[in-house]
Amino acid sequence: MEAERDTQARPMPRIGDKAPEFKAVTTQGEINFPGDYSGSWVILFSHPADFTPVCTSEFMTFAALEDKFAAANCKLVGLSVDGLYSHIAWLRTIKEKIEYRGMKDIEVKFPLIEDITMSVARTYGMIQPGESTTKAVRAVFFVDPKGMIRAIIYYPLSLGRNFDELYRALIAMQAADAFAIATPADWQPGDDVIVPPAGSCGVAKDRMEGKEEMKCYDWFFCTKALPAEKVFSTILKK
Ligand code: BEZ
């Protein structure tokens, strides 16, 4: 009943909303979110608990991919409702003892938020009482350089995230912004992209005159090539 009241009292942030602001203590010092990340993409993600196996495999994977995300102008911020000393002890244990899929001696350098009051987790709808009232679910918030929420993915406690998909989603959203296109099902950089239906007379005229290089199967389904090199040379930081 208490949990029910809580979810009703706080609407969860949605795609297109400004990311709710908060100040937090992390393993890398205090942060102001999303203000400290202005100009960068940031993935804010929650995990259920320190010293648990699925979370450990996820943290090792994210830490191993941190440079790849950084090259795409994306920073990482983790969160759980554990305290700072638990976080520090867990991350030290991961570095000293755990080996997973060839990864070992992994140091987590991105901030991990302590949220023992569940204040941030509640604000971001990471506590989903049907799944757990005491742990955050595996939430992933993509926040863009202007502090807007651009995508949200939730996973249950038992399901480890797919990091190829998180990276693909990031690159796809950046490509959509940079080239004013959309990305079809299962899109990967290098695949054809969707040209949105013409919204202005200028675009419509260019299409009629065949100036835009694309293939139209019907008025609502047009695609064009977008080479992976063009995507990455535009997106990746030099
Ligand atoms: C895990 O990370 O292994 C885990 C955490 C909470 C519930 C179930 C699994």
Side-chain angles (χ1 to χ4, degrees):
M1 195 60 192
E2 190 55 38
E4 211 171 278
R5 225 179 289 128
D6 182 67
T7 50
Q8 281 169 0
R10 294 167 197 241
M12 286 162 48
R14 290 172 294 197
I15 291 174
D17 288 351
K18 195 153 179 23
E21 290 177 11
F22 63 84
K23 195 186 250 196
V25 170
T26 84
T27 49
Q28 304 291 325
E30 211 170 88
I31 61 167
N32 282 294
F33 193 92
D36 289 350
Y37 298 89
S38 173
S40 290
W41 284 75
V42 55
I43 294 179
L44 172 67
F45 68 101
S46 56
H47 72 275
D50 298 345
F51 292 100
T52 51
V54 178
C55 301
T56 297
S57 68
E58 291 188 316
F59 260 70
M60 294 180 75
T61 309
F62 241 152
L65 293 173
E66 189 179 4
D67 288 349
K68 187 172 170 178
F69 279 89
N73 191 29
C74 181
K75 296 183 174 152
L76 309 174
V77 178
L79 174 147
S80 82
V81 301
D82 299 291
L84 186 62
Y85 295 109
S86 165
H87 285 343
I88 291 168
W90 178 47
L91 298 185
R92 191 189 308 128
T93 308
I94 288 177
K95 178 165 166 49
E96 289 173 358
K97 291 197 178 158
I98 311 292
E99 200 170 330
Y100 171 68
R101 283 192 154 178
M103 293 178 275
K104 61 178 187 181
D105 195 25
I106 292 289
E107 191 171 342
V108 174
K109 296 182 187 143
F110 55 81
L112 172 50
I113 294 169
E114 75 153 12
D115 191 29
I116 36 183
T117 63
M118 297 191 183
S119 149
V120 179
R122 287 207 169 102
T123 300
Y124 273 81
M126 293 162 171
I127 304 294
Q128 306 209 351
E131 181 73 346
S132 172
T133 52
T134 56
K135 295 175 171 65
V137 295
R138 300 181 198 281
V140 187
F141 286 82
F142 292 81
V143 178
D144 75 11
K146 292 182 177 148
M148 304 302 288
I149 296 175
R150 297 291 298 276
I152 306 171
I153 312 178
Y154 287 106
Y155 298 75
L157 302 190
S158 62
L159 176 59
R161 285 162 270 221
N162 181 309
F163 290 81
D164 290 338
E165 171 59 6
L166 301 187
Y167 185 73
R168 186 193 80 95
L170 174 72
I171 298 300
M173 287 185 279
Q174 294 188 2
D177 288 353
F179 300 103
I181 49 84
T183 48
D186 291 334
W187 179 83
Q188 293 288 347
D191 291 346
D192 287 357
V193 294
I194 302 283
V195 186
S200 76
C201 296
V203 175
K205 190 164 167 284
D206 285 352
R207 283 190 194 172
M208 299 284 281
E209 291 169 359
K211 283 188 196 156
E212 252 194 87
E213 271 186 36
M214 60 183 176
K215 236 185 204 171
C216 281
Y217 300 87
D218 204 328
W219 64 269
F220 67 91
F221 197 94
C222 299
T223 62
K224 69 174 182 184
L226 180 56
E229 309 79 66
K230 199 167 166 189
V231 172
F232 285 120
S233 65
T234 304
I235 285 171
L236 299 189
K237 282 208 276 185
K238 301 286 178 306

